[in-house]
Amino acid sequence: MKPHARRVLAEWTQVTYQVSQRRAARLVPMNRGTLRYVSRRDDQQALRRRLRELAAVRVRFGYRRLTVLLRREGWQVNAKRVWRLYREEGLTMRTKRRQKLASRVRVPPPAATAPQERWSMDFVHDRCIDGRAFRVLTIIDQFTRECVALVAAQTWRGEDVARVLETVAQRRGVPHSITVDNGTEFQSHAMDAWAYRRQTTLAFIRPGKPVDNTFIESFNGRLRDEGLNTQQFLSLSDAQRQLDLWRYDYNAVRPHSALGDRTPNEMRQAHEAAEAGDTQVSPARLTIDRQTGSRYDEEVLRLNVALV
């Protein structure tokens, strides 16, 4: 047993059996100096309070991502200290252990090496408060992990998906390929005609093998865990508004562990700077998103208070 556990046991022995401190230390056993020790370490109430505030907004963030957010605000902390306070404040989350999957793609596709090279696309289901179901079209860039689009609708056809892709393409261009599953919306004539007209490839995964499209599956899990499951939607328009807020937060504020705790926007800016020959991105460009990211936190808190 560690000294802290022995101290707790000795104190319990004193109270329960009404014995002296000397007798309790001898029964456990432990050194009396260790039992009498009183820590003079700062209890760090300010850090604890800020950690609780961040955890109240980022309800599905673990201690590592909360550590990144604290460092961005100027706190000189490491992951071990945050983990200790995180545990003492009772902020630990119960996570469902996922089943280990042995199936893998026999010939894995080449990894994306630049933005706009490969996208991934899929659907996520959810419901409004009144029970009306809707589906969210999710599109991400495999290289920067940037969420390209989040669009909610009650029903989707191939023409609807093609219309969304055309709107996105007019704003930011067309990728070389888009990884999709074998849903009827993606296999439609409208999607085939759009891909042919835009000279892009629809890369279909093996039927019944979602592990072939791991980027979008991982993103959908984060969207479900950190976005959809933490909010209530009054209507379809309200769901779209909250999805837009979450998409902005995901791209501009949320640290991504696969990107070295950078945001997708920072990843894209760093790649653009490297292509232009710059050794580093201007700090002013990277701080804009962090400063404006508080809009999402304020909106989430306002919605939670309104629902209560």
Side-chain angles (χ1 to χ4, degrees):
M1 296 175 63
K2 293 185 178 180
H4 176 71
R6 290 177 181 272
R7 187 181 302 113
V8 172
L9 180 59
E11 292 173 353
W12 176 84
T13 304
Q14 282 185 263
V15 175
T16 305
Y17 295 100
Q18 297 296 314
V19 297
S20 64
Q21 189 180 74
R22 184 191 300 269
R23 179 87 178 273
R26 192 164 58 246
L27 291 173
V28 170
M30 66 179 303
N31 188 282
R32 279 186 294 160
T34 304
L35 179 58
R36 295 172 179 171
Y37 175 75
V38 178
S39 176
R40 295 181 176 85
R41 183 173 54 188
D42 182 17
D43 56 2
Q44 299 176 323
Q45 287 299 325
L47 179 58
R48 291 173 184 267
R49 182 169 58 253
R50 184 53 184 159
L51 183 60
R52 289 195 300 267
E53 292 173 354
L54 289 175
V57 177
R58 313 287 179 162
V59 294
R60 293 303 298 174
F61 273 23
Y63 77 98
R64 292 190 181 277
R65 283 201 173 91
L66 292 176
T67 302
V68 176
L69 296 181
L70 288 171
R71 287 175 177 172
R72 286 182 177 180
E73 296 179 358
W75 295 91
Q76 300 296 325
V77 293
N78 57 15
K80 292 188 293 185
R81 178 185 298 183
V82 175
W83 164 244
R84 177 174 58 82
L85 301 179
Y86 182 83
R87 185 179 54 191
E88 291 176 359
E89 294 295 324
L91 302 176
T92 53
M93 301 181 301
R94 293 185 61 184
T95 57
K96 182 179 179 181
R97 188 177 297 275
R98 297 181 180 179
Q99 184 179 2
K100 200 170 185 179
L101 299 176
S103 57
R104 296 180 181 271
V105 183
R106 178 164 296 189
V107 182
T113 58
Q116 292 293 109
E117 185 175 337
R118 294 180 182 276
W119 288 359
S120 291
M121 184 165 56
D122 199 4
F123 286 103
V124 178
H125 301 256
D126 209 328
R127 291 181 179 273
C128 298
I129 292 180
D130 56 8
R132 288 181 297 172
F134 63 89
R135 302 172 71 195
V136 182
L137 176 66
T138 60
I139 310 175
I140 66 168
D141 188 302
Q142 293 186 12
F143 180 77
T144 63
R145 307 298 202 276
E146 182 180 3
C147 178
V148 178
L150 279 180
V151 183
Q154 289 184 334
T155 58
W156 284 94
R157 299 177 301 171
E159 295 85 351
D160 302 325
V161 178
R163 184 165 53 252
V164 171
L165 287 173
E166 183 62 28
T167 302
V168 174
Q170 293 175 0
R171 185 177 70 250
R172 56 182 299 156
V174 181
H176 298 305
S177 69
I178 305 177
T179 305
V180 295
D181 59 21
N182 295 271
T184 56
E185 300 87 359
F186 303 140
Q187 291 183 342
S188 63
H189 293 292
M191 281 295 299
D192 186 59
W194 179 87
Y196 178 78
R197 185 173 63 253
R198 278 293 190 170
Q199 296 183 353
T200 187
T201 302
L202 295 178
F204 292 94
I205 64 174
R206 295 176 297 170
K209 300 293 184 181
V211 292
D212 292 356
N213 199 3
T214 54
F215 291 100
I216 197 67
E217 293 297 333
S218 176
F219 173 81
N220 289 346
R222 301 283 75 75
L223 173 62
R224 172 76 62 189
D225 193 31
E226 301 173 9
L228 299 178
N229 287 352
T230 62
Q231 300 297 327
Q232 296 284 356
F233 307 115
L234 303 177
S235 62
L236 186 62
S237 59
D238 179 58
Q240 185 61 61
R241 183 174 62 86
Q242 296 193 45
L243 286 171
D244 291 339
L245 284 170
W246 190 89
R247 173 175 171 266
Y248 169 82
D249 179 77
Y250 179 87
N251 288 336
V253 182
R254 180 188 185 275
H256 202 300
S257 58
L259 304 179
D261 288 331
R262 291 180 293 181
T263 66
N265 284 359
E266 292 174 353
M267 183 67 177
R268 175 172 47 82
Q269 293 172 6
H271 184 271
E272 292 174 355
E275 290 290 322
D278 297 338
T279 56
Q280 63 183 33
V281 184
S282 171
R285 295 179 61 189
L286 298 183
T287 56
I288 293 175
D289 291 335
R290 295 174 184 173
Q291 293 171 357
T292 56
S294 59
R295 294 189 311 175
Y296 175 76
D297 296 348
E298 296 172 358
E299 185 69 14
V300 169
L301 287 175
R302 187 188 66 80
L303 290 171
N304 289 342
V305 171
L307 288 174
V308 172

